Amino acid sequence: MDILVVGGGGREHAIIWALAKSPQAGRIYCAPGNAGIETIAECVPIAVSEFDRLTDFALENNIDFVVIGPDDPLVDGIVDAFEAKDIPVFGPRKNAAAIEGSKTFMKDLLHKYDIPTAAYEKFDNYEDAKSYLLKQEVPVVIKADGLAAGKGVTVAFSMEQAESALHDIMVEKVFGDAGSHVVIEEFLAGQEMSILAFVDGETVRPMVAAQDHKQVFDNDQGPNTGGMGTYSPLPHIDSAIIEEAIEKIIKPTAKAMVAEGRHFTGILFAGLMISPDGTPKTIEFNARFGDPETQVVLPRLKSDLLAIMIAAVNGTLADIEIEWSDEAAVCVVLASGGYPASYPKGIVIEGLDDVKDALVFHAGTTKNEAGEWITNGGRILGVVGLGADIAEARAKAYSEAAHIDFEGKHLRSDIAAKALL
Ligand code: AMP
Ligand code: GLY
């Protein structure tokens, strides 16, 4: 089977690495991919937003199966575009990807079906939003409705910060149309957890849980990023809590989507907060694999990823066997100095060949004319250590990551530290 994967980050590198292990996999293409992905797939220079060019490419190259990585094209209807040309594609249609694309839709859905999430109000008018906000206690959370490259959420610890976030979203329109509606939400204290699941309608096949580290600096300091590192499993979290999140949040949400006429096929990714008393509540839903959650979850998948995805598309997901390894995985992200704000590009990366005992998934790399690896983004590489437990996996990830160097290299030194306590 010839496969096209759409996207070009660390997540897509990990997806392709897993797909390539399938006995059914033939040629694998990636659009647009990156220099690391190029080592295991054929990259095609088509952007994820160019639906016509992507579907034409798939038809011209007799692609048998398409996998969509990122959120933006899903929310814009890329799955509908492939389906319109009868090309088998893994991912939710536009009306189902709205669970990630519109926070007001997601919150209203959870509210309607009594699925645990933070209390909220939504607004399409600045004056009303502001007068409601001024009556709230801090901390309070302000969210732009639409996709904002992960920057649309402010957890405000002062009313001044909250007001300025609201003003930026609704008056300054810093996120454009994504800020025409806003959600003002109760602050949830606790620890976060990501649970991803293969979903087809009401069939939910959960993956092993993972934890991300969103802030750029150690001890969760500094601005939020796309994710600075992940690990799986979560030995410090009671398995009953994970089970409760699956039974009371993910399964009911998949069912609610079907009831709303928005049958979801693809990866449903719940971002959850576990309150200090051990109750999981929904922070967000994503309609895709997480980045860098994927980099620790897929190395633990023992079953054939391609077979699972095909089963989801064919409506036989309930029948397929899905096995996970007991091994632990820890991913440490190496980022450009300055990320998530501005950062330089084109810096030579050294030491990649010296990594012997870890997986390296490329997020933002390319090659210069001399054939050297150079930086080409904010997050550059994810180094994944595997081991019998988190301590072993973590030690490997860090010792192998130490071989890689580039000017300004930034990493957190406390990825998975919480799991060792
Ligand atoms: P989101 O883009 O919705 O995942 O939000 C980004 C981050 O903001 C989350 O990963 C949380 O760390 C934080 N966050 C979002 N909503 C809340 C909430 N209601 N309470 C506390 N933290 C939140
Ligand atoms: N790592 C969080 C995300 O992919 O949204």
Side-chain angles (χ1 to χ4, degrees):
M1 259 194 171
D2 291 348
I3 304 165
L4 170 65
V5 175
V6 175
R11 163 184 50 211
E12 286 76 21
H13 195 177
I15 291 171
I16 292 170
W17 170 84
L19 288 173
K21 294 193 286 185
S22 170
Q24 292 185 75
R27 282 181 301 173
I28 305 182
Y29 298 91
C30 186
N34 65 42
I37 292 174
E38 184 82 53
T39 63
I40 56 168
E42 190 173 320
C43 294
V44 267
I46 306 178
V48 303
S49 56
E50 295 180 285
F51 296 178
D52 286 341
R53 290 188 64 204
L54 289 167
T55 52
D56 286 349
F57 175 86
L59 290 173
E60 282 158 19
N61 291 278
N62 297 314
I63 298 295
D64 301 296
F65 197 71
V66 181
V67 177
I68 312 298
D71 45 352
D72 291 272
L74 289 168
V75 168
D76 290 340
I78 194 170
V79 167
D80 309 63
F82 278 102
E83 284 184 346
K85 304 262 168 81
D86 288 324
I87 304 164
V89 54
F90 179 81
R93 293 185 188 133
K94 183 174 182 163
N95 75 350
I99 198 162
E100 173 164 11
S102 168
K103 294 200 192 288
T104 55
F105 167 75
M106 183 275 278
K107 296 295 290 189
D108 289 349
L109 180 84
L110 269 54
H111 180 68
K112 179 172 172 186
Y113 290 88
D114 217 6
I115 297 166
T117 189
Y120 73 106
E121 286 291 335
K122 60 175 178 175
F123 300 92
D124 60 6
N125 164 305
Y126 175 66
E127 294 307 325
D128 294 347
K130 187 168 171 183
S131 76
Y132 173 83
L133 175 64
L134 292 173
K135 288 181 227 135
Q136 305 308 303
E137 307 271 317
V138 287
V140 64
V141 184
I142 318 288
K143 300 185 170 183
D145 180 53
L147 294 182
K151 293 178 185 154
V153 174
T154 300
V155 179
F157 288 89
S158 70
M159 193 46 78
E160 205 183 349
Q161 191 192 1
E163 280 183 70
S164 118
L166 184 65
H167 195 265
D168 283 351
I169 294 172
M170 297 200 91
V171 180
E172 305 290 334
K173 297 254 174 217
V174 296
F175 306 118
D177 278 351
S180 58
H181 292 68
V182 80
V183 170
I184 299 178
E185 186 172 286
E186 167 200 15
F187 172 79
L188 299 176
Q191 75 169 300
E192 289 186 59
M193 164 172 79
S194 302
I195 300 181
L196 288 74
F198 298 102
V199 172
D200 178 36
E202 295 192 10
T203 304
V204 172
R205 305 294 303 274
M207 303 186 210
V208 287
Q211 216 161 36
D212 189 10
H213 298 66
K214 296 220 166 152
Q215 293 87 357
V216 70
F217 300 124
D218 283 11
N219 300 314
D220 297 341
Q221 300 297 303
N224 269 349
T225 68
M228 291 299 296
T230 39
Y231 62 101
S232 175
L234 312 178
H236 57 307
I237 292 180
D238 196 332
S239 60
I241 297 176
I242 295 173
E243 204 48 39
E244 181 176 341
I246 293 166
E247 295 302 324
K248 298 208 173 139
I249 294 177
I250 303 179
K251 288 185 179 172
T253 300
K255 204 168 169 184
M257 291 293 279
V258 173
E260 294 293 311
R262 295 172 187 259
H263 183 117
F264 189 102
T265 300
I267 306 295
L268 194 55
F269 163 174
L272 303 157
M273 188 71 84
I274 305 168
S275 70
D277 73 1
T279 313
K281 282 191 182 178
T282 316
I283 292 183
E284 62 165 347
F285 269 107
N286 296 318
R288 50 166 174 88
F289 271 111
D291 189 347
E293 282 85 348
T294 309
Q295 289 88 316
V296 291
V297 168
L298 289 185
R300 299 190 57 208
L301 176 64
K302 292 210 276 187
S303 306
D304 179 338
L305 177 63
L306 180 58
I308 298 169
M309 289 177 162
I310 292 171
V313 171
N314 291 343
T316 56
L317 183 61
D319 308 331
I320 199 156
E321 195 173 331
I322 303 182
E323 270 192 283
W324 299 93
S325 97
D326 292 331
E327 251 186 341
V330 174
C331 174
V332 174
V333 169
L334 310 186
S336 295
Y339 173 76
S342 63
Y343 46 80
K345 286 186 182 177
I347 295 174
V348 174
I349 304 167
E350 283 169 306
L352 272 171
D353 291 340
D354 300 327
V355 176
K356 302 288 183 220
D357 197 14
L359 296 164
V360 179
F361 295 120
H362 290 233
T365 64
T366 185
K367 284 192 169 176
N368 63 16
E369 280 173 10
E372 296 168 303
W373 297 100
I374 55 173
T375 65
N376 191 36
R379 291 186 292 176
I380 306 301
L381 298 157
V383 180
V384 180
L386 299 170
D389 55 21
I390 292 285
E392 191 182 323
R394 181 173 192 268
K396 257 188 216 170
Y398 276 109
S399 63
E400 294 293 326
H403 293 302
I404 302 171
D405 202 20
F406 53 89
E407 199 185 315
K409 176 180 96 169
H410 169 67
L411 72 167
R412 276 182 62 158
S413 67
D414 64 345
I415 304 301
K418 229 184 288 171
L420 300 176
L421 298 177

